[in-house]
Amino acid sequence: MTQDDIRSMKDEIAYIKALAEEGRRTPLIGGGILIAAGLIFGLASVIHWLIQIDALSVSPVAYAVIWVGAMALFSACLVVLIGRSKGRPGAASLVNQAVGAAWMGVGLLIFVMSISIAVISWRLQNPILTFLFPSMIFAAYGSGWAVSATMSKARWQWNLAVGAWASAPALAFLVDTDWIWLAYAAGLFAFALIPGLILVRQEPAEVV
């Protein structure tokens, strides 16, 4: 192998390394999805709490209407937001692909477990398992933020991961109280809505 071959190989390695580092610095795309999730489900939780404390006088079927409606609205927003993000510069980067896959896994976990909890509650005619839902959500969010923090090297996202994980057992202490739904709403705003706004603000007009 000649000196020119060695030099050429070193240049290629340096170029590949530069591409990898550049990809790592690519701003994360998908903050809009977090905003939609935090806002829609956060408001649904607030309405649930208002019904629980008798601030709103409605039929018990309203609980199902609220959450099914929230899921339908979020699903519609999700389709639109994913479609918009696919063509954006930087969407195909390794970081955004990995983070997107992680949050997709989080979303599917939440969806499948929601159905499972609903079925078990119906079969047992006991709604106690619904109180597990907020803790499950934050445990899943913590995992999503952990992957995002690892891939993007954004240390502030580790704070979100730890905060979400800590909130999961903390909410368990509020089981069978009206306050669990208000605390759940606060967590959704803290771990989805607000960080989603931060990510959207960090997205430049043209992502490298």
Side-chain angles (χ1 to χ4, degrees), residues 14-156:
Y15 176 69
I16 293 173
K17 182 179 179 180
L19 286 178
E21 290 297 327
E22 190 67 27
R24 182 176 295 174
R25 291 192 294 270
T26 300
L28 295 178
I29 297 173
I33 297 175
L34 289 168
I35 292 173
L39 185 61
I40 293 171
F41 293 112
L43 290 177
S45 189
V46 170
I47 296 173
H48 187 123
W49 172 71
L50 290 173
I51 297 174
Q52 286 285 98
I53 63 173
D54 295 324
L56 295 176
S57 180
V58 294
S59 169
V61 74
Y63 292 119
V65 172
I66 291 167
W67 291 108
V68 172
M71 180 64 73
L73 178 58
F74 175 71
S75 297
C77 292
L78 189 62
V79 171
V80 174
L81 292 169
I82 289 178
R84 287 181 178 178
S85 66
K86 282 184 177 179
R88 298 196 60 189
S93 69
L94 177 61
V95 171
N96 276 302
Q97 290 289 328
V99 172
W103 281 107
M104 181 179 67
V106 168
L108 289 173
L109 168 67
I110 292 171
F111 178 71
V112 172
M113 288 305 298
S114 299
I115 295 175
S116 300
I117 289 174
V119 171
I120 294 173
S121 298
W122 171 69
R123 289 283 293 171
L124 297 179
Q125 291 297 299
N126 189 333
I128 188 64
L129 280 183
T130 58
F131 288 105
L132 177 63
F133 189 78
S135 294
M136 180 191 72
I137 296 294
F138 290 141
Y141 270 37
S143 299
W145 283 119
V147 173
S148 183
T150 300
M151 294 301 300
S152 66
K153 303 300 181 182
R155 293 185 178 181
W156 65 275

